[in-house]
Amino acid sequence: MLSPTLRTTLNIMSTIRTQMNLAAANRLSTVHRHLSTTSQVNKIEKLTVFGAGLMGAGIAQVGAQSGLKVILSDVTDKALENGLNIISKSLSRVAKKKSPDDIEGFTSNILKNIETTTDAAKAVQDSDLVIEAIIESIKVKRDLFGFLDEKAKAECIFASNTSSLSVKEIAESCSNDRQARFAGLHFFNPVPAMKLVEIIKTPQTSTETFEALKEVTLRMNKSPVSCNDTPGFIVNRLLVPYLLEAIRMVERGDATPEDIDTAMELGAGYPMGPFKLLDFVGLDTTSYIAQGWREKAQSGEISKELVEPIGLLDKLVKEGKLGRKSGQGFYEYDNKK
Ligand code: CAA
Ligand code: NAD
């Protein structure tokens, strides 16, 4: 026979146990809910690309070629027209090899997978993956992603094609859940021809997001590699200091752009010398990369000497001589061809 005091104590303990179990169950269900919202990703079928310039056009093209439904978005109809032009020219090159008897049929079949719009909200409403390839400015990228976070589905993955900015800093414009579905996806120029894609995981990027991005880049027939969120990732951390040093050589009067290009093509086996490559990438893009890195140099993330300002680069950019895309950079181009 239990004493009344002992019975009361046992009753209290049983009530506490029930409440503790309920609290634990609630905690568990919150963790499950959180895990399912942070990790759930859909198979990627619908891709939205922001920026219809050199890179965005190429990414939209390889997406469409791999069977994805693509929406290409930019701020003006003129920019979208420029993007479609880049895609059509490139597709006819691809078609000459893949379908020489029906170049037009091949091209129009791929183009059917690409829609265009200047309405950013509409562009993402049904998307599984957003790849941003707009101007290399942290503010402009953060503004765009902050806006898109409210408009896209919760499961949609966001990726930036930034060349050099911190992916984590861009991702922080979005909610915590989206940051788990946010990564860097760095393609190379010209996208249809270059096989590499760097996938950049931030500390917040979920494993499911990383795996989904790996899978979709393989579907695009690319070879993905992974890198931490560090200035320039792998390729640009090595390539951009080399390009900047080549401009300094010309500024010092050591050699001409033509001779430096010949030297690196014939002496080092590079497919393009540094000045052809600078014009190909865009002098504005290279200048934005160097500017962004100068801020990182203050915190010691990259050495200061690598990114010292270069008068000749700044002068050309100021004059609108941006390389191939503007018709003049270190060399002149006939863009009507
Ligand atoms: N669209 C479709 N296919 C293209 C293409 C395009 N725009 N450009 C080239 N190709 C294809 C060609 O059809 C050809 O394919 P096949 O081998 O199957 O026939 C192949 O690419 C080679 O092209 P070409 O024979 O016409 O010319 P090439 O041999 O001179 O190569 C090149 C052209 C691939 C651009 C080569 O010059 C090269 O590799 N250049 C260096 C490019 C480079 O370094 N890019 C990285 C820049 S850095 C970057 O992108 C990162 C950043 O963040 C700034
Ligand atoms: P680009 O100048 O050719 O094109 C940029 C496009 O973005 C333009 O059409 C512009 O109208 C558009 N744009 C600007 N703000 C926009 C906005 N808010 N919404 C939608 N569109 C907007 O530039 P690019 O060379 O294609 O570079 C794009 C990105 O890719 C940059 O982050 C760059 O660092 C990176 N990248 C460039 C290269 C390269 O070789 N050029 C290679 C890899 C990565």
Side-chain angles (χ1 to χ4, degrees):
M1 185 74 178
L2 296 175
S3 74
T5 322
L6 188 56
R7 197 175 302 122
T8 311
T9 310
L10 285 176
N11 278 345
I12 291 171
M13 282 175 70
S14 152
T15 310
I16 291 173
R17 233 184 349 257
T18 311
Q19 279 171 353
M20 279 172 72
N21 284 344
L22 269 176
N26 275 342
R27 267 200 310 276
L28 206 63
S29 113
T30 310
V31 168
H32 275 155
R33 244 195 340 267
H34 180 70
L35 274 180
S36 72
T37 50
T38 52
S39 63
Q40 186 190 326
V41 291
N42 290 346
K43 179 159 166 71
I44 295 165
E45 303 292 356
K46 292 179 183 159
L47 164 68
T48 303
V49 179
F50 280 92
L54 285 175
M55 297 306 290
I59 296 167
Q61 178 188 331
V62 296
Q65 279 179 246
S66 69
L68 298 174
K69 291 286 168 214
V70 180
I71 298 182
L72 179 60
S73 187
D74 205 303
V75 281
T76 61
D77 286 327
K78 192 160 177 271
L80 288 172
E81 206 179 294
N82 174 48
L84 286 177
N85 218 353
I86 298 174
I87 296 174
S88 299
K89 275 192 196 158
S90 171
L91 276 178
S92 24
R93 279 180 86 156
V94 178
K96 270 185 205 147
K97 283 178 289 171
K98 292 208 170 169
S99 173
D101 299 332
D102 185 16
I103 292 182
E104 221 163 90
F106 176 92
T107 306
S108 68
N109 233 359
I110 308 276
L111 284 174
K112 266 189 221 144
N113 284 346
I114 305 177
E115 279 176 46
T116 56
T117 179
T118 52
D119 183 339
K122 204 172 125 217
V124 293
Q125 66 189 7
D126 206 19
S127 186
D128 302 314
L129 169 63
V130 168
I131 303 180
E132 164 276 312
I134 66 169
I135 180 173
E136 186 75 346
S137 148
I138 185 103
K139 179 175 182 315
V140 183
K141 286 186 194 288
R142 283 177 59 105
D143 284 352
L144 177 65
F145 277 119
F147 172 79
L148 298 178
D149 194 22
E150 308 267 303
K151 311 289 175 194
K153 292 185 297 191
E155 318 81 70
C156 179
I157 294 177
F158 283 8
S160 174
N161 183 54
T162 178
S163 296
S164 61
L165 297 168
S166 157
V167 177
K168 180 172 183 285
E169 280 175 35
I170 303 173
E172 280 167 355
S173 58
C174 296
S175 60
N176 286 343
D177 277 350
R178 186 78 64 189
Q179 286 181 44
R181 293 195 198 84
F182 203 119
L185 203 58
H186 188 215
F187 290 81
F188 290 80
N189 183 17
V191 181
M194 304 305 277
K195 292 282 285 179
L196 185 71
V197 177
E198 293 172 331
I199 307 181
I200 317 304
K201 251 180 110 167
T202 74
Q204 284 71 33
T205 309
S206 71
T207 308
E208 290 78 2
T209 298
F210 179 81
E211 290 302 327
L213 291 174
K214 198 167 153 190
E215 191 271 332
V216 79
T217 53
L218 289 171
R219 253 195 280 160
M220 290 175 178
N221 204 17
K222 300 292 177 199
S223 301
V225 294
S226 124
C227 182
N228 286 345
D229 189 16
T230 50
F233 319 126
I234 301 174
V235 172
N236 282 343
R237 183 64 177 258
L238 299 173
L239 183 64
V240 173
Y242 149 77
L243 295 176
L244 297 176
E245 191 53 24
I247 310 176
R248 289 192 192 100
M249 282 181 83
V250 169
E251 236 183 7
R252 288 196 298 264
D254 295 345
T256 62
E258 291 81 357
D259 281 351
I260 296 172
D261 277 353
T262 303
M264 293 312 291
E265 287 163 21
L266 303 186
Y270 285 26
M272 286 176 167
F275 293 94
K276 285 185 195 157
L277 190 55
L278 278 158
D279 277 358
F280 193 60
V281 163
L283 301 187
D284 50 344
T285 299
T286 308
S287 170
Y288 288 135
I289 296 174
Q291 271 171 40
W293 281 0
R294 279 201 275 284
E295 285 160 30
K296 300 276 167 203
Q298 282 163 13
S299 61
E301 274 183 76
I302 191 156
S303 358
K304 200 166 155 280
E305 312 76 62
L306 287 181
V307 288
E308 286 290 342
I310 306 176
L312 177 55
L313 178 62
D314 295 345
K315 177 176 170 291
L316 288 168
V317 172
K318 219 177 261 166
E319 289 170 358
K321 295 176 181 161
L322 307 181
R324 266 195 204 200
K325 65 183 166 188
S326 71
Q328 192 176 347
F330 287 98
Y331 298 102
E332 281 187 29
Y333 303 87
D334 180 359
N335 283 340
K336 286 181 205 87
K337 270 200 245 162

